Amino acid sequence: MAQKPSIPKGTRDFSPIEVAKRNYIIDTIKKQFRLFGFQAIETPSFENSDTLMGKYGEEGDRLIFKILNSGDYLNKVDDALYSSKNSAKITSKISEKALRYDLTVPFARYVVQHQNEIDFPFKRYQIQPVWRADRPQKGRFREFYQCDADVVGSRSLWQEVDFIQLYDKVFTELNLSGVTIKINNRKILSGIAEVIGAKDKLIDFTVALDKLDKIGEEGVKKEMLQKGISESAIEKVKPLFNFSGTAQKKIDELKNLLASSEEGLQGVEELQFIINAIANIPLKTATLDLDVTLARGLNYYTGAIFEVAAPEAVKMGSIGGGGRYDDLTGIFGLKDVSGVGISFGLDRIYLVLEELGLFPQTVAPSTKAMFINFGETEALYCLKAVNLLRDEGVVTELYPDNAKMKKQMGYANKRQIPFVILAGTTEINNDTFMVKNMQLGTQEEMNFEELKTLF
C-alpha cells in the first residue's frame, strides 16, 4: 500500500475559501501601499548564502534554510573536514544558496545592484513568501508571506510618521480595532546599555530585553546574566521592566535616565518628533504606545523600531513590525543610504480576523449560477448563455458531464450555488431557461434578458 502523502511541518495547504480570505487581506494592504506611493518589486525565492548570512544575528542565521549544491555536493569536502563533523564549515562547502529569511535584506541587495536605475528616495512594496527553520506553533510557520513597504534614500522622520499612518489605514480598512503600534528607538537602547556599563553587550542586551513579554522579567534577567551582563547593570535597567504612563511621561523619564548619553538623547528626540506629529494627525483605529523594552532582535535596525500587537482579545504575537536601518545597504558596498520599512504579518492577521469573525461574507467570489447538462445539444445552448453572463461579470458554470439530475443538483447544493438553470427541448424551442432558486425552492421560466436581472 502506498504511503499516505503529507507536507512538511510548518507548511500548509490552502483551500479556495482560505485563498480568497488571504487575497482579501493582500488586496487591502496593496491598495494602501499604492495610495501611499509605493511601487511593487519582486526578488528571487533564494539568494546566495553570503547575501543572507550574518545579517540577522546568530539566532537568525540558525533559522536560515540552506540549499544543497547541485550534483555531487560532497566532492569539496575532504576526509578530515568530514570527520570533524563541524557542521558550519561543512555547510559552507556543500551549500552556496539559501531560501530568503525575510524581504528586507534581499531588498537591500536589490537597491545596491540597481542603484543606477533607481530614483531616490525609492519607495517599494513587496509581497512574497519567506522561509525560516523555526519551531512551528500557533501563528508561527516555516513558510509564510511577508508584506513589506520600505523607503530608502531619506533620513527624514516624516517617513516613520507615514508608516504609522499606513498601519492605521490598513487596520481601519480591515475593521480591526484594538491594535497597538509599539514604538521605540535603537539609539535609546544603545544609550541605556551605555549608561549601565554594558555597551560591549548591546546585542545580547537587546535580544534578551526583546523577550520580556514572552519569558517575563525573571527570564530576561537570567538570560542577561548568562550572556555576561553584570548584576549591577541589570539592577540599573530594572525600572524599564515596569515603565508606565503616557508617552510624554515616558519621554521625560528617558531624558533623565539618558542624560549622560548623547546617542540615547538623540533617540529620545527622534521619538518626541514622531509622537508629536501623530498627536496632530490622530490615528483612526490603532493606538500608538512607547515601549522602551521593544528591541526587535535584528541587528540592522539603527533608529525607530515598530511592532504591532493584536487586540488583547486575541492571544497572538506581533502582527507587524519594522524600523529604521541606516547601515543596511552599506554591508553590500553602498554607503550613506538610509532606509526605513515595515512589514505586515499576513498569516497572523488572517488568524486574528478569523478568530474575531471580521471577514466579510462576500469575501469569496462564489458561483452564482450553474447550468444543468442534459447532453450535447442542450449543453451547447446553455454554454452560449454562460458566456454572455460571464461577459456581464456573473460567475457562472456549466456542469461538465451529462450526469443524472440528482447528482448535478446535489453538486450545486453542496457548493451553495444560489441558482440552477435548466434548458431542455421545450426551453430551447422557446428560447428560454427554467431557473430554480435553490434557497426558496421556487422555479420560473425566463428569457435571457429576464435572467440577467437576477444578478
Short mmCIF file of all heavy atoms in Angstrom, two decimals, residues 366-394:
data_model
loop_
_atom_site.label_atom_id
_atom_site.label_comp_id
_atom_site.label_asym_id
_atom_site.label_seq_id
_atom_site.Cartn_x
_atom_site.Cartn_y
_atom_site.Cartn_z
N SER A 366 -18.10 33.33 -5.02
CA SER A 366 -18.65 32.01 -5.32
C SER A 366 -19.48 32.04 -6.60
O SER A 366 -19.94 33.09 -7.05
CB SER A 366 -19.51 31.51 -4.15
OG SER A 366 -20.56 32.42 -3.91
N THR A 367 -19.70 30.85 -7.16
CA THR A 367 -20.51 30.72 -8.37
C THR A 367 -21.95 31.14 -8.09
O THR A 367 -22.56 30.70 -7.11
CB THR A 367 -20.47 29.27 -8.87
OG1 THR A 367 -19.11 28.94 -9.21
CG2 THR A 367 -21.36 29.07 -10.09
N LYS A 368 -22.50 31.97 -8.95
CA LYS A 368 -23.87 32.48 -8.76
C LYS A 368 -24.91 31.61 -9.47
O LYS A 368 -26.07 31.54 -9.04
CB LYS A 368 -23.98 33.92 -9.29
CG LYS A 368 -23.02 34.90 -8.64
CD LYS A 368 -23.24 34.99 -7.13
CE LYS A 368 -22.29 35.98 -6.48
NZ LYS A 368 -22.39 35.97 -5.01
N ALA A 369 -24.49 30.99 -10.57
CA ALA A 369 -25.45 30.18 -11.33
C ALA A 369 -24.75 28.99 -11.97
O ALA A 369 -23.63 29.12 -12.45
CB ALA A 369 -26.12 31.04 -12.40
N MET A 370 -25.43 27.84 -11.96
CA MET A 370 -24.90 26.64 -12.63
C MET A 370 -25.95 26.10 -13.59
O MET A 370 -27.12 25.94 -13.22
CB MET A 370 -24.54 25.56 -11.60
CG MET A 370 -23.79 24.39 -12.25
SD MET A 370 -23.62 22.98 -11.13
CE MET A 370 -25.21 22.16 -11.37
N PHE A 371 -25.53 25.83 -14.82
CA PHE A 371 -26.42 25.28 -15.84
C PHE A 371 -26.32 23.75 -15.81
O PHE A 371 -25.23 23.18 -15.78
CB PHE A 371 -26.04 25.80 -17.23
CG PHE A 371 -26.45 27.23 -17.46
CD1 PHE A 371 -25.76 28.29 -16.87
CD2 PHE A 371 -27.54 27.52 -18.28
CE1 PHE A 371 -26.13 29.59 -17.09
CE2 PHE A 371 -27.92 28.83 -18.51
CZ PHE A 371 -27.21 29.88 -17.91
N ILE A 372 -27.47 23.10 -15.84
CA ILE A 372 -27.54 21.64 -15.87
C ILE A 372 -27.19 21.14 -17.28
O ILE A 372 -27.56 21.75 -18.28
CB ILE A 372 -28.95 21.15 -15.48
CG1 ILE A 372 -29.26 21.55 -14.03
CG2 ILE A 372 -29.08 19.65 -15.65
CD1 ILE A 372 -28.41 20.87 -12.99
N ASN A 373 -26.46 20.03 -17.33
CA ASN A 373 -26.03 19.44 -18.60
C ASN A 373 -26.92 18.23 -18.92
O ASN A 373 -26.85 17.20 -18.28
CB ASN A 373 -24.57 19.00 -18.48
CG ASN A 373 -23.98 18.55 -19.79
OD1 ASN A 373 -24.69 18.12 -20.69
ND2 ASN A 373 -22.66 18.62 -19.89
N PHE A 374 -27.79 18.39 -19.94
CA PHE A 374 -28.68 17.29 -20.36
C PHE A 374 -28.16 16.55 -21.59
O PHE A 374 -28.78 15.59 -22.05
CB PHE A 374 -30.09 17.83 -20.68
CG PHE A 374 -30.88 18.21 -19.45
CD1 PHE A 374 -31.43 19.47 -19.33
CD2 PHE A 374 -31.10 17.30 -18.43
CE1 PHE A 374 -32.17 19.82 -18.21
CE2 PHE A 374 -31.83 17.63 -17.30
CZ PHE A 374 -32.38 18.90 -17.19
N GLY A 375 -27.04 17.02 -22.14
CA GLY A 375 -26.50 16.39 -23.34
C GLY A 375 -25.86 17.42 -24.23
O GLY A 375 -25.84 18.62 -23.93
N GLU A 376 -25.33 16.97 -25.37
CA GLU A 376 -24.53 17.84 -26.22
C GLU A 376 -25.31 19.05 -26.74
O GLU A 376 -24.84 20.18 -26.69
CB GLU A 376 -23.98 17.02 -27.40
CG GLU A 376 -22.97 17.78 -28.23
CD GLU A 376 -22.31 16.92 -29.29
OE1 GLU A 376 -22.17 15.70 -29.06
OE2 GLU A 376 -21.95 17.45 -30.35
N THR A 377 -26.54 18.81 -27.26
CA THR A 377 -27.34 19.90 -27.82
C THR A 377 -27.71 20.92 -26.76
O THR A 377 -27.55 22.14 -26.94
CB THR A 377 -28.62 19.35 -28.47
OG1 THR A 377 -28.27 18.41 -29.50
CG2 THR A 377 -29.45 20.47 -29.08
N GLU A 378 -28.20 20.42 -25.62
CA GLU A 378 -28.60 21.30 -24.53
C GLU A 378 -27.40 22.05 -23.94
O GLU A 378 -27.48 23.24 -23.61
CB GLU A 378 -29.30 20.51 -23.42
CG GLU A 378 -30.63 19.89 -23.82
CD GLU A 378 -30.48 18.53 -24.50
OE1 GLU A 378 -29.31 18.15 -24.85
OE2 GLU A 378 -31.49 17.83 -24.67
N ALA A 379 -26.26 21.35 -23.82
CA ALA A 379 -25.06 21.97 -23.25
C ALA A 379 -24.58 23.13 -24.13
O ALA A 379 -24.17 24.18 -23.62
CB ALA A 379 -23.95 20.94 -23.10
N LEU A 380 -24.61 22.94 -25.46
CA LEU A 380 -24.18 24.00 -26.36
C LEU A 380 -25.10 25.21 -26.25
O LEU A 380 -24.63 26.35 -26.23
CB LEU A 380 -24.18 23.48 -27.81
CG LEU A 380 -23.64 24.45 -28.86
CD1 LEU A 380 -22.20 24.86 -28.53
CD2 LEU A 380 -23.72 23.83 -30.25
N TYR A 381 -26.42 24.97 -26.13
CA TYR A 381 -27.40 26.05 -25.95
C TYR A 381 -27.09 26.82 -24.65
O TYR A 381 -27.09 28.05 -24.62
CB TYR A 381 -28.81 25.46 -25.92
CG TYR A 381 -29.91 26.45 -25.61
CD1 TYR A 381 -30.39 27.32 -26.58
CD2 TYR A 381 -30.47 26.52 -24.34
CE1 TYR A 381 -31.41 28.23 -26.30
CE2 TYR A 381 -31.47 27.42 -24.03
CZ TYR A 381 -31.94 28.28 -25.02
OH TYR A 381 -32.95 29.17 -24.73
N CYS A 382 -26.83 26.08 -23.58
CA CYS A 382 -26.55 26.70 -22.28
C CYS A 382 -25.23 27.45 -22.28
O CYS A 382 -25.10 28.51 -21.66
CB CYS A 382 -26.54 25.64 -21.19
SG CYS A 382 -28.17 24.95 -20.80
N LEU A 383 -24.23 26.88 -22.97
CA LEU A 383 -22.90 27.49 -22.96
C LEU A 383 -22.90 28.89 -23.56
O LEU A 383 -22.14 29.76 -23.12
CB LEU A 383 -21.91 26.59 -23.72
CG LEU A 383 -20.42 26.90 -23.49
CD1 LEU A 383 -20.06 26.84 -22.01
CD2 LEU A 383 -19.56 25.92 -24.28
N LYS A 384 -23.79 29.11 -24.56
CA LYS A 384 -23.91 30.45 -25.14
C LYS A 384 -24.38 31.44 -24.06
O LYS A 384 -23.87 32.56 -23.96
CB LYS A 384 -24.88 30.44 -26.32
CG LYS A 384 -24.37 29.64 -27.51
CD LYS A 384 -25.41 29.58 -28.63
CE LYS A 384 -24.90 28.74 -29.80
NZ LYS A 384 -25.92 28.63 -30.88
N ALA A 385 -25.34 31.01 -23.23
CA ALA A 385 -25.82 31.87 -22.14
C ALA A 385 -24.76 32.05 -21.07
O ALA A 385 -24.61 33.14 -20.49
CB ALA A 385 -27.09 31.27 -21.54
N VAL A 386 -24.01 30.97 -20.79
CA VAL A 386 -22.92 31.04 -19.81
C VAL A 386 -21.93 32.13 -20.21
O VAL A 386 -21.53 32.98 -19.39
CB VAL A 386 -22.21 29.68 -19.68
CG1 VAL A 386 -20.90 29.83 -18.91
CG2 VAL A 386 -23.11 28.67 -18.99
N ASN A 387 -21.53 32.14 -21.46
CA ASN A 387 -20.54 33.11 -21.93
C ASN A 387 -21.08 34.54 -21.86
O ASN A 387 -20.36 35.47 -21.51
CB ASN A 387 -20.11 32.78 -23.36
CG ASN A 387 -19.17 31.59 -23.41
OD1 ASN A 387 -18.44 31.34 -22.46
ND2 ASN A 387 -19.19 30.86 -24.51
N LEU A 388 -22.37 34.71 -22.18
CA LEU A 388 -22.97 36.04 -22.11
C LEU A 388 -23.05 36.53 -20.67
O LEU A 388 -22.82 37.71 -20.39
CB LEU A 388 -24.36 36.02 -22.76
CG LEU A 388 -24.38 35.85 -24.28
CD1 LEU A 388 -25.81 35.64 -24.79
CD2 LEU A 388 -23.78 37.08 -24.96
N LEU A 389 -23.38 35.64 -19.74
CA LEU A 389 -23.43 36.02 -18.32
C LEU A 389 -22.03 36.36 -17.80
O LEU A 389 -21.87 37.29 -17.01
CB LEU A 389 -24.05 34.90 -17.48
CG LEU A 389 -25.57 34.74 -17.59
CD1 LEU A 389 -26.03 33.50 -16.83
CD2 LEU A 389 -26.28 35.98 -17.03
N ARG A 390 -21.04 35.61 -18.24
CA ARG A 390 -19.66 35.92 -17.82
C ARG A 390 -19.24 37.29 -18.34
O ARG A 390 -18.51 38.02 -17.66
CB ARG A 390 -18.71 34.84 -18.33
CG ARG A 390 -18.83 33.52 -17.56
CD ARG A 390 -18.01 32.41 -18.19
NE ARG A 390 -18.08 31.17 -17.42
CZ ARG A 390 -17.68 29.99 -17.88
NH1 ARG A 390 -17.17 29.89 -19.12
NH2 ARG A 390 -17.78 28.91 -17.12
N ASP A 391 -19.71 37.64 -19.55
CA ASP A 391 -19.42 38.98 -20.08
C ASP A 391 -20.03 40.06 -19.20
O ASP A 391 -19.52 41.19 -19.14
CB ASP A 391 -19.97 39.12 -21.51
CG ASP A 391 -19.18 38.32 -22.53
OD1 ASP A 391 -18.03 37.93 -22.20
OD2 ASP A 391 -19.70 38.08 -23.64
N GLU A 392 -21.11 39.71 -18.49
CA GLU A 392 -21.76 40.64 -17.58
C GLU A 392 -21.11 40.64 -16.19
O GLU A 392 -21.55 41.34 -15.28
CB GLU A 392 -23.26 40.29 -17.44
CG GLU A 392 -24.06 40.39 -18.72
CD GLU A 392 -24.26 41.84 -19.16
OE1 GLU A 392 -24.36 42.70 -18.27
OE2 GLU A 392 -24.31 42.10 -20.37
N GLY A 393 -20.09 39.79 -16.02
CA GLY A 393 -19.39 39.72 -14.74
C GLY A 393 -20.01 38.77 -13.75
O GLY A 393 -19.68 38.80 -12.55
N VAL A 394 -20.88 37.87 -14.21
CA VAL A 394 -21.53 36.90 -13.32
C VAL A 394 -20.72 35.61 -13.33
O VAL A 394 -20.43 35.05 -14.39
CB VAL A 394 -22.99 36.62 -13.78
CG1 VAL A 394 -23.66 35.62 -12.83
CG2 VAL A 394 -23.80 37.90 -13.86
#
